[in-house]
């Protein structure tokens, strides 16, 4: 999924389903917590699907840290799904 945002390409690395994320105001605490890590390039929220899409700068935030940030904002993580393959498939190399 690639979305144009402010002239840049948004290419999320991970999707976090957050129980209770139902309005833009709900996302503020989560966004502030994630931005403090200094490892996040961009964050997008879809409150209808209750998901948070995160694009990392270069080093990913550990899943336990994501859960802690969401919990500190007053919400609960339903699931974390990586949107990119972490390892290349060695059998598909030219």
């Amino acid at each position: 999924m690639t979305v144009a945002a402010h002239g840049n390409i948004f290419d999320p690395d991970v999707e976090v389903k957050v129980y209770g994320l139902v309005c833009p105001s709900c996302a503020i605490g989560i966004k502030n917590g994630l931005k403090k890590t200094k490892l996040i390039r961009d964050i997008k929220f879809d409150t209808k699907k209750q998901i948070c899409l995160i694009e990392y700068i270069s080093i990913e935030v550990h899943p336990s840290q994501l859960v802690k940030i969401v919990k500190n904002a007053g919400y609960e993580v339903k699931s974390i799904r990586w949107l990119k393959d972490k390892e290349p498939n060695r059998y598909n190399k030219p």
Side-chain angles (χ1 to χ4, degrees):
M1 175 178 166
T2 305
V3 180
H6 310 293
N8 297 327
I9 300 298
F10 178 62
D11 188 19
D13 295 293
V14 69
E15 172 189 282
V16 181
K17 286 197 178 219
V18 180
Y19 181 74
L21 180 65
V22 295
C23 69
S25 296
C26 297
I28 292 171
I30 297 170
K31 184 174 186 173
N32 289 341
L34 289 168
K35 287 288 188 179
K36 285 180 186 176
T37 68
K38 308 283 187 208
L39 301 174
I40 306 297
R41 175 172 283 128
D42 205 355
I43 309 163
K44 303 288 179 209
F45 294 91
D46 184 336
T47 54
K48 290 181 182 179
K49 295 180 182 177
Q50 295 187 17
I51 62 171
C52 171
L53 297 167
I54 303 168
E55 181 180 5
Y56 297 124
I57 291 174
S58 61
I59 301 169
E60 67 186 46
V61 178
H62 192 274
S64 64
Q65 190 176 4
L66 288 175
V67 170
K68 184 177 179 182
I69 290 167
V70 171
K71 189 173 184 175
N72 285 345
Y75 301 93
E76 184 181 333
V77 171
K78 285 185 184 179
S79 66
I80 299 174
R81 180 171 68 106
W82 275 258
L83 303 174
K84 298 177 182 173
D85 290 333
K86 291 185 171 210
E87 298 177 34
N89 185 341
R90 62 186 173 146
Y91 299 108
N92 290 337
K93 287 187 177 180

